[in-house]
Structures are given as structure tokens and as C-alpha cells.
Amino acid sequence: MGTRPTVALIKTEALKHNYGQIRKAVHPSAKIMAVVKSNAYGHGDVEVAKTLENLGCESFGVACAEEGIRLREAGIKTPIVVLGGICLWLCDDRSAQARDVLDFALTPVISDIETARLLDGSAGYAGKTAPVHVEIDSGMGRLGLLPREITPFFREFNGLKNLRLEGVMSHFSEMDSEDKGYSKKQLDVFSGAVEDIKRMGCAPAYVHMANSAAVIDCGESHFNLVRPGIMLYGSYPSRAQRGRIDLRPVMQLVTRIMHIKKVPAGFPVSYGRTFVTEKESAIATIPIGYGDGLTRRLSGKGEVLVRGKRAPIAGNICMDHTMVDVTSVEGARVGDEVVVIGTQGNAEITADELAEKTGTISYEIFCAVSARVRRVVI
């Protein structure tokens, strides 16, 4: 198991609770596609998927085929949708890439007719019919068919014999904003596109657009399938949505003090000497750094919890270590637990707090937790 005490504790009961809250928030007939891309937002995709599969989650969303294959090889049987699409026409061995999708029973999202043709050919050669979801770009400007491309796409798609349209989807670009004007426009564009597709004789089993923010704020976008991501892991898409639904943090990032030294006033700490003690101080070293995902942008402004008290990060965060000023933490000693994200006693540091201090979002804070940090399911 190794001796490094830096671990991410993954709270299964919190994950189950959050899934239950999502289930309550949507219509009983609506299905849930749990988004477990990017290693389940840093929480450990296999264990998260296993937990949710046991709860009856209807499908999982991943970013790329490799993530889906990893889940299949771990024994996940639930349908897996490759939300980021597949780049068959960019691959050196297109047929091998297509075979992976087919052999591992992955459902790709398609945004162009070239990919549809290539997958159709591979499916026909394998004697299979491949389910696909088609993405509509309703205003995100990333992947998907523009409204003017729908008719020519489906005119040809409907002639492909080895593909089955399972779903039609789109994606909000700012549903987490308090101003829902643009999101409403996107919803109107997508709803119109779905009607156009149906008029062309297509009958997708699933229509989906709702991300976490829309699960909370936009019931009319739920259709018959929703795609929660960040809320599964206990974080809210925006400050305005906090408390609108009862979510519990799933990850607790912890380590332990490995060394403490008493230093005099005027003593510089860490690279660049950006921090100099103002008085005699106790400086603790903890074995976590930016190599573990503790962003260097927290240098000089971040805090950790030691013995239930906040202790400031002293100086620049290093790749493997961080120094913390524990002068005001009575009794601090080597071996004490240090909480980087999570609770200790009555104190708490959230991923949202770290995100606000570093000008980013909680998604990035979680995803940044690196592979060398052991995930321990509790």
C-alpha cells in the first residue's frame, strides 16, 4: 500500500446520498446518466461507477473511448456513452478504433457524417448494429451539428444500415449563470432541432441536455434523461445554487505532518523566499504538493486544517511538499492529520473555497488530484 500518508478518502455514503437527491429532483420516468469522465472528476471512476451501478444508475458518461474501455475491463455492465465523441478519421488505424467501440459495447456521440460512415462500415463488417447519440450544437460552439446541418446529416444518416439512433443531445454553456437568458435560447434551439429530427422519421429513445446546473434550475430541460456530473461529487455548479439541493462532499483530501521545526524571526521558507517569518515560528512540512494536484496558486493564500484549526500555507508550494505555519496550533506534532479538502472537528475547507482563492472552479480542483494520490474508499 505504500507509506505515503497523502490520500483521497472517497465517502461512499455521500455519493449514494447525492445520487438519491438527484433521483428525487427529476421526474420518476427520467433516466440518469452519471458523468464519470476524467476519473470521475478525480474521485476514482471504477469505484464510483460500481457504487452507482449497484444503485441502478441507467448509464455512464465518459469523455473518450479509453475511459469507457477501462470501466468495461473493471466489470461495469451498464451502458456507457462516449460524450466526447470518437475521432475515427484522425486515427492511424481507424478500423481498430472502431472495433474497440464495438467490442466493448460503447455508445459514441457523433457530430459529423464522416465518423458515422466509418463506424457504419465497421459495424457492418462485424455484423453488428451500433447505437449512437447525435449531438446538436445549440450555442456551445464545441461539438455537434449546427441547426442548418441537421437536414443533410440525417438525410444520409437514415440510409446507414448499421447504426441506430439511440439519443439526441446538446450541452448548455452557462446554465450555472444567474441570468438564464442564453440558456433558454439554447433550449429553444435544441427543442426545435429535436422536432426537425423527428419529422425526418427518426425516433431517438433518449433526448438529453441537462447538466448538474440544469438538474437544479431548469426542469423543462430534463426531457427523459439527465447528465449530472459535479453534483454527484457534492459540489455545486455555482455559488447561487448552493443549498438548493442537499449535497454532501464525497472527497476528503488528507495527509499528515512529517516534520516540524522551530525557526527564528526573519527566517525564509520555501523556494523564492516569498515567505519570511515575522516571529519565532513552528513550520510543519506535509507530503503533498503540486505534483499531487495542490495547485501552486494557493501559495501564500491557502490554508489547511490541523487539530481543527486553520493553518496558513507558508511560502511557495513545492512539487512534493508544502510548508505550513502551525505556530498558533497548540500541540501540533509530527503525525498529526492534515486536511487539505474536507472537515476536521467543526472546521471545513471545501473545493469551492480553494477554487475561489485560485480563480478557477471546483471541477478543476478535483480533477487535478493526481494519480499518485491513493483513493481510499470508505
Side-chain angles (χ1 to χ4, degrees):
M1 294 293 291
T3 58
R4 199 162 185 256
T6 303
V7 297
L9 303 175
I10 307 302
K11 302 175 183 178
T12 303
E13 290 306 312
L15 177 63
K16 292 178 179 179
H17 169 83
N18 297 339
Y19 179 81
Q21 291 297 300
I22 296 164
R23 182 62 77 188
K24 290 178 183 177
V26 301
H27 192 275
S29 64
K31 309 296 185 184
I32 294 177
M33 180 190 297
V35 181
V36 295
K37 63 182 181 177
S38 192
N39 197 27
Y41 293 39
H43 288 69
D45 53 1
V46 170
E47 292 303 326
V48 166
K50 285 182 177 179
T51 298
L52 297 178
E53 186 173 62
N54 289 335
L55 293 176
C57 185
E58 290 86 4
S59 63
F60 296 116
V62 298
C64 57
E66 289 81 359
E67 290 181 342
I69 291 169
R70 171 180 162 83
L71 293 181
R72 287 284 185 249
E73 290 179 336
I76 298 299
K77 305 298 184 186
T78 298
I80 297 172
V81 178
V82 184
L83 295 170
I86 53 174
C87 304
L88 297 182
W89 55 279
L90 291 176
C91 300
D92 293 333
D93 190 343
R94 299 171 182 176
S95 60
Q97 294 291 320
R99 283 197 304 273
D100 280 345
V101 170
L102 297 166
D103 291 346
F104 288 94
L106 306 179
T107 302
V109 170
I110 290 179
S111 299
D112 61 90
I113 198 63
E114 291 85 359
T115 299
R117 291 175 190 144
L118 289 167
L119 184 60
D120 178 71
S122 294
Y125 182 79
K128 297 180 178 180
T129 299
V132 299
H133 291 216
V134 173
E135 182 164 3
I136 306 302
D137 186 351
S138 59
M140 177 73 175
R142 189 169 60 184
L143 297 173
L145 301 171
L146 293 170
R148 68 173 181 270
E149 298 172 320
I150 291 172
T151 297
F153 175 90
F154 279 99
R155 187 179 293 129
E156 181 172 345
F157 180 89
N158 286 343
L160 301 177
K161 303 300 183 184
N162 307 298
L163 300 185
R164 173 173 57 86
L165 181 65
E166 182 180 85
V168 177
M169 65 168 286
S170 191
H171 194 66
F172 287 112
S173 66
E174 58 173 40
M175 180 54 78
D176 55 351
S177 170
E178 292 189 57
D179 182 354
K180 297 293 190 286
Y182 188 71
S183 295
K184 297 294 186 184
K185 290 180 181 178
Q186 281 194 267
L187 182 57
D188 288 343
V189 170
F190 179 58
S191 297
V194 171
E195 291 306 310
D196 290 342
I197 292 167
K198 289 180 178 179
R199 278 193 289 269
M200 295 187 71
C202 300
Y206 299 112
V207 176
H208 52 110
M209 189 175 188
N211 55 8
S212 290
V215 168
I216 297 172
D217 260 350
C218 189
E220 60 266 41
S221 72
H222 291 183
F223 297 104
N224 63 355
L225 186 149
V226 297
R227 306 190 310 262
I230 194 66
M231 67 190 307
L232 278 169
Y233 310 107
S235 192
Y236 295 90
S238 70
R239 177 190 288 270
Q241 292 176 322
R242 292 177 191 171
R244 296 275 304 281
I245 184 171
D246 179 28
L247 302 177
R248 299 175 184 173
V250 174
M251 179 188 290
Q252 177 130 329
L253 183 60
V254 300
T255 188
R256 292 188 179 275
I257 294 176
M258 65 182 299
H259 184 74
I260 295 181
K261 63 178 64 178
K262 291 287 182 69
V263 298
F267 194 88
V269 176
S270 196
Y271 291 114
R273 294 184 296 134
T274 58
F275 176 88
V276 179
T277 57
E278 295 180 354
K279 59 182 180 180
E280 183 179 72
S281 302
I283 302 298
T285 299
I286 57 176
I288 186 171
Y290 61 79
D292 302 288
L294 183 61
T295 176
R296 202 167 183 266
R297 287 172 288 172
L298 283 168
S299 299
K301 56 179 135 179
E303 296 173 306
V304 298
L305 301 179
V306 180
R307 297 196 165 215
K309 293 191 65 175
R310 286 177 174 255
I313 292 173
N316 283 322
I317 293 170
C318 311
M319 183 182 292
D320 312 305
H321 300 95
T322 296
M323 277 67 80
V324 177
D325 188 344
V326 294
T327 307
S328 63
V329 181
E330 185 176 351
R333 62 175 182 264
V334 170
D336 277 351
E337 179 190 68
V338 178
V339 173
V340 179
I341 300 174
T343 59
Q344 191 181 66
N346 296 321
E348 181 179 25
I349 293 176
T350 66
D352 289 320
E353 176 185 330
L354 301 188
E356 288 171 3
K357 286 183 175 179
T358 55
T360 185
I361 53 179
S362 60
Y363 305 66
E364 183 179 2
I365 298 297
F366 289 133
C367 290
V369 179
S370 71
R372 80 175 180 185
V373 177
R374 287 185 295 122
R375 273 64 172 177
V376 178
V377 178
I378 58 175

mmCIF file of all heavy atoms in Angstrom, residues 134-156:
data_model
loop_
_atom_site.group_PDB
_atom_site.id
_atom_site.type_symbol
_atom_site.label_atom_id
_atom_site.label_comp_id
_atom_site.label_asym_id
_atom_site.label_seq_id
_atom_site.Cartn_x
_atom_site.Cartn_y
_atom_site.Cartn_z
ATOM 1 N N VAL A 134 -26.448 11.538 -31.318
ATOM 2 C CA VAL A 134 -26.025 12.641 -32.181
ATOM 3 C C VAL A 134 -26.137 13.933 -31.395
ATOM 4 O O VAL A 134 -27.161 14.191 -30.745
ATOM 5 C CB VAL A 134 -26.875 12.706 -33.463
ATOM 6 C CG1 VAL A 134 -26.546 13.962 -34.261
ATOM 7 C CG2 VAL A 134 -26.638 11.462 -34.318
ATOM 8 N N GLU A 135 -25.074 14.727 -31.448
ATOM 9 C CA GLU A 135 -25.058 15.987 -30.699
ATOM 10 C C GLU A 135 -25.449 17.148 -31.595
ATOM 11 O O GLU A 135 -25.021 17.247 -32.745
ATOM 12 C CB GLU A 135 -23.674 16.243 -30.091
ATOM 13 C CG GLU A 135 -23.633 17.515 -29.258
ATOM 14 C CD GLU A 135 -22.427 17.621 -28.344
ATOM 15 O OE1 GLU A 135 -21.565 16.720 -28.382
ATOM 16 O OE2 GLU A 135 -22.351 18.610 -27.592
ATOM 17 N N ILE A 136 -26.252 18.044 -31.026
ATOM 18 C CA ILE A 136 -26.651 19.285 -31.684
ATOM 19 C C ILE A 136 -25.945 20.444 -30.997
ATOM 20 O O ILE A 136 -25.971 20.557 -29.761
ATOM 21 C CB ILE A 136 -28.179 19.495 -31.591
ATOM 22 C CG1 ILE A 136 -28.945 18.279 -32.131
ATOM 23 C CG2 ILE A 136 -28.584 20.772 -32.318
ATOM 24 C CD1 ILE A 136 -28.632 17.920 -33.556
ATOM 25 N N ASP A 137 -25.296 21.300 -31.768
ATOM 26 C CA ASP A 137 -24.670 22.492 -31.198
ATOM 27 C C ASP A 137 -25.733 23.584 -31.111
ATOM 28 O O ASP A 137 -26.052 24.239 -32.100
ATOM 29 C CB ASP A 137 -23.501 22.945 -32.077
ATOM 30 C CG ASP A 137 -22.727 24.102 -31.457
ATOM 31 O OD1 ASP A 137 -23.197 24.655 -30.437
ATOM 32 O OD2 ASP A 137 -21.664 24.460 -31.993
ATOM 33 N N SER A 138 -26.255 23.767 -29.904
ATOM 34 C CA SER A 138 -27.308 24.762 -29.701
ATOM 35 C C SER A 138 -26.751 26.123 -29.296
ATOM 36 O O SER A 138 -27.511 27.052 -29.007
ATOM 37 C CB SER A 138 -28.281 24.266 -28.626
ATOM 38 O OG SER A 138 -27.583 24.041 -27.408
ATOM 39 N N GLY A 139 -25.421 26.238 -29.277
ATOM 40 C CA GLY A 139 -24.808 27.507 -28.912
ATOM 41 C C GLY A 139 -23.588 27.383 -28.031
ATOM 42 O O GLY A 139 -23.077 28.381 -27.529
ATOM 43 N N MET A 140 -23.082 26.153 -27.863
ATOM 44 C CA MET A 140 -21.868 25.935 -27.083
ATOM 45 C C MET A 140 -20.621 26.216 -27.922
ATOM 46 O O MET A 140 -19.596 26.651 -27.404
ATOM 47 C CB MET A 140 -21.846 24.490 -26.564
ATOM 48 C CG MET A 140 -20.595 24.103 -25.799
ATOM 49 S SD MET A 140 -20.539 24.865 -24.170
ATOM 50 C CE MET A 140 -19.071 24.090 -23.510
ATOM 51 N N GLY A 141 -20.703 25.938 -29.208
ATOM 52 C CA GLY A 141 -19.567 26.189 -30.093
ATOM 53 C C GLY A 141 -18.440 25.202 -29.936
ATOM 54 O O GLY A 141 -17.278 25.525 -30.206
ATOM 55 N N ARG A 142 -18.765 23.990 -29.538
ATOM 56 C CA ARG A 142 -17.727 22.979 -29.322
ATOM 57 C C ARG A 142 -17.955 21.843 -30.324
ATOM 58 O O ARG A 142 -17.491 21.910 -31.451
ATOM 59 C CB ARG A 142 -17.766 22.497 -27.864
ATOM 60 C CG ARG A 142 -16.596 21.603 -27.469
ATOM 61 C CD ARG A 142 -16.557 21.377 -25.965
ATOM 62 N NE ARG A 142 -17.753 20.731 -25.437
ATOM 63 C CZ ARG A 142 -17.968 20.513 -24.140
ATOM 64 N NH1 ARG A 142 -17.083 20.914 -23.234
ATOM 65 N NH2 ARG A 142 -19.066 19.908 -23.729
ATOM 66 N N LEU A 143 -18.671 20.814 -29.933
ATOM 67 C CA LEU A 143 -19.002 19.721 -30.830
ATOM 68 C C LEU A 143 -20.484 19.794 -31.201
ATOM 69 O O LEU A 143 -21.265 20.472 -30.544
ATOM 70 C CB LEU A 143 -18.699 18.368 -30.179
ATOM 71 C CG LEU A 143 -17.238 18.089 -29.829
ATOM 72 C CD1 LEU A 143 -17.120 16.791 -29.028
ATOM 73 C CD2 LEU A 143 -16.381 18.016 -31.080
ATOM 74 N N GLY A 144 -20.868 19.070 -32.235
ATOM 75 C CA GLY A 144 -22.279 18.984 -32.579
ATOM 76 C C GLY A 144 -22.626 19.598 -33.915
ATOM 77 O O GLY A 144 -21.889 20.426 -34.464
ATOM 78 N N LEU A 145 -23.773 19.184 -34.428
ATOM 79 C CA LEU A 145 -24.294 19.710 -35.684
ATOM 80 C C LEU A 145 -24.941 21.061 -35.444
ATOM 81 O O LEU A 145 -25.720 21.233 -34.493
ATOM 82 C CB LEU A 145 -25.357 18.768 -36.254
ATOM 83 C CG LEU A 145 -24.962 17.323 -36.560
ATOM 84 C CD1 LEU A 145 -26.208 16.517 -36.900
ATOM 85 C CD2 LEU A 145 -23.953 17.266 -37.693
ATOM 86 N N LEU A 146 -24.651 22.031 -36.309
ATOM 87 C CA LEU A 146 -25.388 23.279 -36.286
ATOM 88 C C LEU A 146 -26.781 23.024 -36.854
ATOM 89 O O LEU A 146 -26.978 22.092 -37.648
ATOM 90 C CB LEU A 146 -24.655 24.329 -37.109
ATOM 91 C CG LEU A 146 -23.299 24.780 -36.537
ATOM 92 C CD1 LEU A 146 -22.560 25.642 -37.554
ATOM 93 C CD2 LEU A 146 -23.491 25.535 -35.230
ATOM 94 N N PRO A 147 -27.763 23.813 -36.478
ATOM 95 C CA PRO A 147 -29.121 23.569 -36.962
ATOM 96 C C PRO A 147 -29.211 23.428 -38.481
ATOM 97 O O PRO A 147 -29.965 22.587 -38.984
ATOM 98 C CB PRO A 147 -29.892 24.791 -36.457
ATOM 99 C CG PRO A 147 -29.199 25.147 -35.167
ATOM 100 C CD PRO A 147 -27.735 24.891 -35.462
ATOM 101 N N ARG A 148 -28.440 24.221 -39.229
ATOM 102 C CA ARG A 148 -28.517 24.135 -40.692
ATOM 103 C C ARG A 148 -27.930 22.843 -41.245
ATOM 104 O O ARG A 148 -28.146 22.506 -42.407
ATOM 105 C CB ARG A 148 -27.811 25.333 -41.312
ATOM 106 C CG ARG A 148 -26.299 25.358 -41.117
ATOM 107 C CD ARG A 148 -25.636 26.479 -41.904
ATOM 108 N NE ARG A 148 -24.189 26.490 -41.744
ATOM 109 C CZ ARG A 148 -23.541 27.157 -40.808
ATOM 110 N NH1 ARG A 148 -24.224 27.881 -39.926
ATOM 111 N NH2 ARG A 148 -22.223 27.120 -40.729
ATOM 112 N N GLU A 149 -27.170 22.119 -40.401
ATOM 113 C CA GLU A 149 -26.552 20.875 -40.846
ATOM 114 C C GLU A 149 -27.410 19.640 -40.560
ATOM 115 O O GLU A 149 -27.084 18.534 -41.009
ATOM 116 C CB GLU A 149 -25.196 20.696 -40.152
ATOM 117 C CG GLU A 149 -24.191 21.789 -40.488
ATOM 118 C CD GLU A 149 -22.922 21.708 -39.664
ATOM 119 O OE1 GLU A 149 -23.006 21.412 -38.454
ATOM 120 O OE2 GLU A 149 -21.837 21.955 -40.231
ATOM 121 N N ILE A 150 -28.497 19.828 -39.838
ATOM 122 C CA ILE A 150 -29.299 18.689 -39.410
ATOM 123 C C ILE A 150 -29.915 17.943 -40.584
ATOM 124 O O ILE A 150 -29.820 16.710 -40.680
ATOM 125 C CB ILE A 150 -30.393 19.159 -38.423
ATOM 126 C CG1 ILE A 150 -29.753 19.592 -37.105
ATOM 127 C CG2 ILE A 150 -31.408 18.037 -38.173
ATOM 128 C CD1 ILE A 150 -30.715 20.239 -36.134
ATOM 129 N N THR A 151 -30.547 18.665 -41.490
ATOM 130 C CA THR A 151 -31.237 18.001 -42.608
ATOM 131 C C THR A 151 -30.276 17.213 -43.485
ATOM 132 O O THR A 151 -30.520 16.018 -43.747
ATOM 133 C CB THR A 151 -32.029 19.027 -43.434
ATOM 134 O OG1 THR A 151 -33.054 19.601 -42.596
ATOM 135 C CG2 THR A 151 -32.677 18.363 -44.636
ATOM 136 N N PRO A 152 -29.175 17.801 -43.972
ATOM 137 C CA PRO A 152 -28.263 16.988 -44.798
ATOM 138 C C PRO A 152 -27.647 15.822 -44.044
ATOM 139 O O PRO A 152 -27.426 14.753 -44.616
ATOM 140 C CB PRO A 152 -27.203 17.984 -45.266
ATOM 141 C CG PRO A 152 -27.321 19.170 -44.372
ATOM 142 C CD PRO A 152 -28.745 19.219 -43.942
ATOM 143 N N PHE A 153 -27.366 16.017 -42.749
ATOM 144 C CA PHE A 153 -26.786 14.921 -41.970
ATOM 145 C C PHE A 153 -27.754 13.750 -41.896
ATOM 146 O O PHE A 153 -27.394 12.605 -42.215
ATOM 147 C CB PHE A 153 -26.428 15.394 -40.552
ATOM 148 C CG PHE A 153 -25.931 14.297 -39.648
ATOM 149 C CD1 PHE A 153 -24.582 13.986 -39.581
ATOM 150 C CD2 PHE A 153 -26.822 13.543 -38.878
ATOM 151 C CE1 PHE A 153 -24.117 12.965 -38.755
ATOM 152 C CE2 PHE A 153 -26.374 12.519 -38.051
ATOM 153 C CZ PHE A 153 -25.021 12.230 -37.997
ATOM 154 N N PHE A 154 -28.978 14.001 -41.481
ATOM 155 C CA PHE A 154 -29.922 12.898 -41.282
ATOM 156 C C PHE A 154 -30.430 12.325 -42.596
ATOM 157 O O PHE A 154 -30.851 11.160 -42.643
ATOM 158 C CB PHE A 154 -31.063 13.332 -40.366
ATOM 159 C CG PHE A 154 -30.691 13.283 -38.911
ATOM 160 C CD1 PHE A 154 -30.305 14.429 -38.238
ATOM 161 C CD2 PHE A 154 -30.692 12.083 -38.222
ATOM 162 C CE1 PHE A 154 -29.941 14.378 -36.905
ATOM 163 C CE2 PHE A 154 -30.324 12.013 -36.892
ATOM 164 C CZ PHE A 154 -29.947 13.161 -36.224
ATOM 165 N N ARG A 155 -30.376 13.110 -43.649
ATOM 166 C CA ARG A 155 -30.738 12.555 -44.955
ATOM 167 C C ARG A 155 -29.817 11.398 -45.307
ATOM 168 O O ARG A 155 -30.257 10.355 -45.807
ATOM 169 C CB ARG A 155 -30.674 13.650 -46.023
ATOM 170 C CG ARG A 155 -31.199 13.205 -47.393
ATOM 171 C CD ARG A 155 -31.125 14.346 -48.395
ATOM 172 N NE ARG A 155 -32.051 15.410 -48.044
ATOM 173 C CZ ARG A 155 -31.721 16.694 -47.944
ATOM 174 N NH1 ARG A 155 -30.459 17.072 -48.143
ATOM 175 N NH2 ARG A 155 -32.630 17.606 -47.652
ATOM 176 N N GLU A 156 -28.521 11.565 -45.018
ATOM 177 C CA GLU A 156 -27.590 10.470 -45.285
ATOM 178 C C GLU A 156 -27.584 9.443 -44.147
ATOM 179 O O GLU A 156 -27.534 8.236 -44.404
ATOM 180 C CB GLU A 156 -26.172 11.010 -45.487
ATOM 181 C CG GLU A 156 -25.168 9.903 -45.796
ATOM 182 C CD GLU A 156 -23.790 10.407 -46.192
ATOM 183 O OE1 GLU A 156 -23.649 11.611 -46.504
ATOM 184 O OE2 GLU A 156 -22.846 9.586 -46.198
#
